[in-house]
Amino acid sequence: MLDHFKINDWVIDCKRLTATRAQKLVRLEPKAALILQYMAARPGEIITREELFSAFWPNQVVTEDALNRVISALRKALNDSSTEPQYIATIRKSGYRLVADVKLTSPPRRSPKARWIFSLIFMLSCLVFFATLKLDDSILAQSAIPKLNGEFQRLTHSHQLKVMPHLSEDASQLAYIERDQSANTLVLMSVKSGDKLRFKKNNIAFSFPVPAPRLHTAFAIANLLGDPKSYTISLIDFDKRKVKPIFQLESESNGLSYHAQSNTMAFTQRTQHIVNHKVFLFNPLLASSTVLSSPPKGYSDSHPVFSPAGKEVAFIRTKSPTEHAIFTVSLDGNETQRTPYQNSITGLDWYNHSELIFTNEQSVYLLSGSGVHTQLFSPVSDQYVATPQVASKAGQLLLTFQHANSIGKAIDLTVGPTTYPLTLSNGSDSEFAISPDATRMLFASTRLGKKTLWLRYNNQLSSLGDVHFDEIYDLVWSSNSQLLAAAVKKNNQYGTLIFNIATHKWDVHWQQHFPLHVIGWDKNNRIWHSSLKNGTWELSHSLPAQNIEIWQPKISVYQARFTPDKKRLFYIDAVHQALWEWDFTGAPQKIALPYSMTLNRNWDIDSSGVYFISKEGALNYFNTNDRSIKQLIDTQNAFTPIHRPQLRLYGLIGTQQVVSYNDFWLSNLP
């Protein structure tokens, strides 16, 4: 596979994702660059569509449009024509052929002119530097904003789903997890040579690996499958093929960080029967841990990261599925909120002693010590960026680039564990809701670039005009299949959207800037909600035609579901790991959940129990009478737990995430 080559008069650089001709430079999408690289290795040969789908979308359910879009993007970048091709020819009913001449080229070098310009810039920078010596010390303390120009080195080339990367401080080693349908594999990679060590045990699940100081070793969270209380911080020796437990955790963890100079670790866990995670500090020499963070009730902390000096820990605090903020905490427990709450912060790391780099899927940002964030890099269209990792000693930044969409999936519970696709899209379809009369299906999608509602009726699919929001979730139908309610978010304001099937009109009842969940419709056609007010999740209900809301302040409800007959409400609170049953008259009754069962948005109920999706994406059933758990689908990633599933008739509908591209890339920081 060629990294640098020339096709006709275009110079292709697959490492920098660029195509250059004369003075024109064009950016290439990662998937397009990979397919062009693949075809350049076999110029003149017919490469079938089936081969391309197998190579670049393995084990994925995608439409023909996925490949069509990439080829179209390539032709547009190269100024090629499908009718008179100079580069890529379509072979009817077969595939494609690269018809251009391919020549090997050397990696680009900086020209004398570029060196002269660089020298001039350097001298000017020196002048600016000495001029700024007279400025205030607080200004001098701010580091230069790093410039990311898209010149990334690709580190991995596999089609497996790769998550939880951790780059060593000297950028010599990279630890991460490879996931497949049955288990996960711990990988320790040499960044320089690309050599990989793999460790896999069928009875152990690993998460959040960190390269350890000793050669061919790594720290990780290890869980003995089948034992929900067996989570440990462990040392994995790749040479001896051994897992050595270091510290027993009280629950699963949402992050692990290691500071080599102080030989301490930061991790999260929840204390028994408490849902929210806290950040803990662990000293291996003393074999003891202390609590660092103090999230409010119903909030949860994740992704702890030590500062370079080890005196602070940064982490992400979540107060609802759509509200995340970055906090830091000193080793004596003093917390500082560094960002306002916002959508989907996907990762963070320290850039230096005071500044942080974080991602939110669409962009990479630098967060200053004063709270100002500056956009550093934005990927090409249809590409997500996540999990920033800064190698402070080497001055390098690792990012995960991926293309992921989501589709609707359904299972017929009377037949077996087979799931069936409801939609096929290059956008993200989610939050599926079929009407009680089974004639219509509504869902949220980004097919038009922004999140909007889509309706399927009489085998016709259409979007609902200009219903665009930042978030659309909790879609629930009225009993007569005439009205649909949904929670929406726009410009950090939440509201309840009501859509009328008969008139095809919609209206939003906006609330304040506090998170909102829509529960459903009761037998009196009232809509029930749970809202975060004054630090507590409160229950309320209202009629669509009225702006009057009646609150139930004595009951704290985070997520809730009605039984099919609407006579009972099952709910979870935001503090304790428990399920509650309420008949609207007496006191709610507590149903203790198994320790391995965690509920958030990942569940629905029938008259006898709870259907829930595990964090690995398997579907399970919890019988509330005998407290037994039955696994209905053991395939990982059958459904995603971040979107609400719904029972309908004799089946369940939900969302599955489909990742078609997922690799790690490395860039230099100035």
Side-chain angles (χ1 to χ4, degrees), residues 598-640:
T598 302
L599 300 183
N600 195 309
R601 303 196 67 243
N602 57 332
W603 60 290
D604 204 358
I605 63 171
D606 61 13
S607 57
S608 303
V610 178
Y611 292 87
F612 70 98
I613 300 167
S614 70
K615 65 178 181 179
E616 295 81 17
L619 180 63
N620 306 273
Y621 182 74
F622 171 64
N623 190 306
T624 55
N625 296 319
D626 60 15
R627 299 185 71 248
S628 64
I629 293 181
K630 179 182 180 182
Q631 194 170 61
L632 303 178
I633 299 180
D634 61 359
T635 304
Q636 292 195 30
N637 197 36
F639 295 98
T640 174

Side-chain angles (χ1 to χ4, degrees), residues 104-149:
L104 180 65
T105 62
S106 301
R109 289 185 173 184
R110 185 179 290 154
S111 65
K113 180 180 179 181
R115 287 196 295 269
W116 180 83
I117 294 174
F118 177 81
S119 300
L120 178 61
I121 292 174
F122 176 77
M123 289 187 291
L124 290 174
S125 300
C126 291
L127 292 174
V128 172
F129 171 76
F130 287 112
T132 56
L133 289 178
K134 298 180 180 180
L135 297 178
D136 186 82
D137 288 342
S138 62
I139 298 177
L140 288 175
Q142 297 292 328
S143 66
I145 295 176
K147 301 296 183 184
L148 299 179
N149 57 8

Side-chain angles (χ1 to χ4, degrees), residues 337-357:
Q337 184 173 347
R338 301 289 295 270
T339 69
Y341 282 93
Q342 56 188 275
N343 284 357
S344 299
I345 296 176
T346 57
L348 78 165
D349 201 356
W350 292 85
Y351 174 58
N352 54 32
H353 293 283
S354 62
E355 297 173 306
L356 292 152
I357 286 180

Side-chain angles (χ1 to χ4, degrees), residues 22 28 92 114 177 189 215 230 293 334 356 390 411 417 435 466 489 524 534 538 549 553 571 592 610 614 634 652:
L28 299 176
R92 191 168 178 267
I177 300 293
M189 173 183 172
L215 188 65
S230 69
S293 71
N334 291 324
L356 292 152
V390 177
I411 177 175
S435 60
D466 57 348
K489 179 184 179 184
N524 297 315
N534 303 318
E538 297 185 9
E549 195 146 11
Y571 69 89
V610 178
S614 70
D634 61 359
L652 180 137

Side-chain angles (χ1 to χ4, degrees), residues 332-401:
D332 56 4
N334 291 324
E335 292 184 2
T336 302
Q337 184 173 347
R338 301 289 295 270
T339 69
Y341 282 93
Q342 56 188 275
N343 284 357
S344 299
I345 296 176
T346 57
L348 78 165
D349 201 356
W350 292 85
Y351 174 58
N352 54 32
H353 293 283
S354 62
E355 297 173 306
L356 292 152
I357 286 180
F358 72 94
T359 55
N360 66 354
E361 291 188 338
Q362 281 74 39
S363 295
V364 183
Y365 296 92
L366 178 73
L367 179 65
S368 71
S370 60
V372 177
H373 65 274
T374 306
Q375 187 179 43
L376 303 182
F377 174 78
S378 185
V380 296
S381 178
D382 297 330
Q383 185 185 77
Y384 295 115
V385 59
T387 54
Q389 289 281 303
V390 177
S392 55
K393 292 182 178 179
Q396 292 186 302
L397 173 68
L398 178 91
L399 293 174
T400 301
F401 289 155

Side-chain angles (χ1 to χ4, degrees), residues 436-502:
D437 62 9
T439 62
R440 295 173 173 86
M441 180 176 72
L442 270 162
F443 59 95
S445 181
T446 61
R447 298 178 182 213
L448 298 179
K450 295 182 179 180
K451 191 162 286 189
T452 187
L453 282 173
W454 286 71
L455 171 67
R456 187 173 187 89
Y457 177 61
N458 280 344
N459 209 28
Q460 298 293 322
L461 189 64
S462 59
S463 65
L464 301 187
D466 57 348
V467 190
H468 294 160
F469 300 97
D470 298 330
E471 292 290 344
I472 305 175
Y473 57 99
D474 286 346
L475 278 64
V476 287
W477 288 90
S478 60
S479 299
N480 61 6
S481 301
Q482 294 301 303
L483 298 173
L484 179 124
V488 295
K489 179 184 179 184
K490 193 168 188 177
N491 299 327
N492 289 323
Q493 189 173 13
Y494 289 83
T496 303
L497 179 145
I498 306 296
F499 176 67
N500 190 308
I501 291 297

